[in-house]
């Protein structure tokens, strides 16, 4: 269906420019060329993990090699792209975290990659069953407010490794970073100038943040709350 939409855009000679969020599944050289010809100027690639073990746990239906291959196609056809990682699922540990960091660090011509830690727990899911069994939730009543699952194996050392990786690599971000007071102002400026999504600017937000924070990390891990704080 997505390919048919692109073909129709081209057939009607519509001068569209659009950005899209995509899974690696089903993409090949022909589909990426078609996407570019239809007017795509940016892709948010949903990677979720660089670990095949975690990708299987999350039931994503693709491998880390497939992610790498699709990213290379975007680079080949000059389509700017960012990559989103969803960390903290069942079994997430230092090994799987490292696989995600290494994958994000080597992707060619990537605008930026961002890491979100914690998966929203929803009713009628296996993740809810796991959360109840592990004592993350006492009962389903705890879902009255949004509750996020973070693997017990994702500890302070994992969090610090992620902070260090994002601190040392200009194009790697922790998602919580964009909720800091400074970045909220940056987002307002981006809205005013119609420059969303912010990932289009690659390392620019990191440069701004490092200048204002004198090179120090703007986030830290709160082990008690199992989340990043600023």
């Amino acid at each position: 269906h997505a390919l048919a939409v692109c073909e129709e855009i081209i057939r009607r000679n519509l001068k569209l420019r659009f950005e899209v969020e995509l899974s690696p599944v089903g993409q090949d050289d022909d589909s990426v060329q078609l996407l570019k010809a239809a007017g795509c100027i940016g892709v948010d690639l949903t990677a979720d993990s660089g670990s095949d073990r975690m990708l299987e746990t999350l039931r994503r239906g693709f491998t880390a090699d497939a992610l790498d291959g699709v990213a290379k196609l975007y680079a080949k056809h000059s389509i700017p792209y960012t990559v989103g990682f969803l960390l903290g699922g069942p079994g997430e540990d230092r090994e799987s975290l490292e696989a995600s960091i290494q994958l994000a660090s080597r992707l060619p011509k990537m605008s930026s990659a961002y890491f979100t830690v914690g998966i929203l727990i929803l009713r009628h899911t296996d993740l809810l069953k796991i959360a109840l069994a592990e004592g993350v939730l006492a009962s389903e009543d705890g879902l009255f407010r949004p509750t996020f699952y973070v693997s017990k194996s994702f500890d302070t050392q994992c969090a610090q490794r992620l902070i260090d990786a994002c601190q040392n690599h200009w194009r790697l971000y922790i998602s919580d970073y964009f909720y800091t007071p400074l970045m909220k102002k940056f987002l307002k400026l981006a809205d005013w100038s119609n420059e969303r999504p912010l990932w289009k600017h690659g390392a620019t937000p990191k440069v701004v943040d490092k200048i204002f924070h004198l090179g120090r990390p703007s986030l830290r891990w709160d082990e008690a709350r199992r989340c990043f704080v600023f």
Side-chain angles (χ1 to χ4, degrees), residues 52-230:
D52 285 340
R53 172 171 60 83
M54 287 306 301
L55 287 170
E56 184 175 352
T57 297
L58 296 171
R59 301 176 184 175
R60 296 299 290 127
F62 54 81
T63 64
D65 283 345
L67 282 165
D68 187 62
V70 171
K72 288 176 179 175
L73 289 177
Y74 295 148
K76 173 184 175 181
H77 295 289
S78 300
I79 298 179
Y81 70 98
T82 190
V83 188
F85 291 85
L86 184 59
L87 307 179
E92 187 82 79
D93 55 18
R94 179 64 184 268
E95 179 185 30
S96 57
L97 168 66
E98 196 64 39
S100 293
I101 292 172
Q102 294 304 318
L103 176 64
S105 300
R106 70 171 184 262
L107 293 178
K109 298 182 180 180
M110 173 190 69
S111 294
S112 61
Y114 57 91
F115 300 90
T116 300
V117 177
I119 301 177
L120 182 65
I121 303 172
L122 300 174
R123 294 184 186 276
H124 312 299
T125 62
D126 287 343
L127 185 60
L128 173 59
K129 296 175 183 177
I130 293 172
L132 290 171
E134 293 183 356
V136 176
L137 282 171
S139 71
E140 291 192 26
D141 293 340
L143 296 179
F144 179 74
R145 294 187 178 185
T147 304
F148 294 83
Y149 178 93
V150 180
S151 168
K152 293 180 180 179
S153 301
F154 189 94
D155 56 15
T156 301
Q157 288 187 336
C158 288
Q160 191 57 52
R161 170 63 181 124
L162 184 58
I163 290 172
D164 292 343
C166 292
Q167 185 71 6
N168 295 328
H169 194 298
W170 284 104
R171 295 182 183 274
L172 301 187
Y173 294 89
I174 297 172
S175 295
D176 303 69
Y177 164 83
F178 290 101
Y179 296 95
T180 61
L182 175 63
M183 280 300 107
K184 283 184 177 180
K185 293 179 181 179
F186 200 87
L187 287 170
K188 287 183 179 180
L189 178 62
D191 280 338
W192 176 80
S193 59
N194 195 29
E195 284 296 325
R196 285 290 194 101
L198 199 57
W199 62 260
K200 283 194 279 189
H201 300 283
T204 301
K206 184 68 68 66
V207 173
V208 174
D209 182 71
K210 284 204 171 189
I211 290 173
F212 276 84
H213 289 93
L214 302 178
R216 293 187 292 269
S218 52
L219 295 173
R220 62 180 177 83
W221 178 253
D222 187 325
E223 181 62 26
R225 296 167 58 187
R226 307 286 289 148
C227 66
F228 289 104
V229 295
F230 49 83

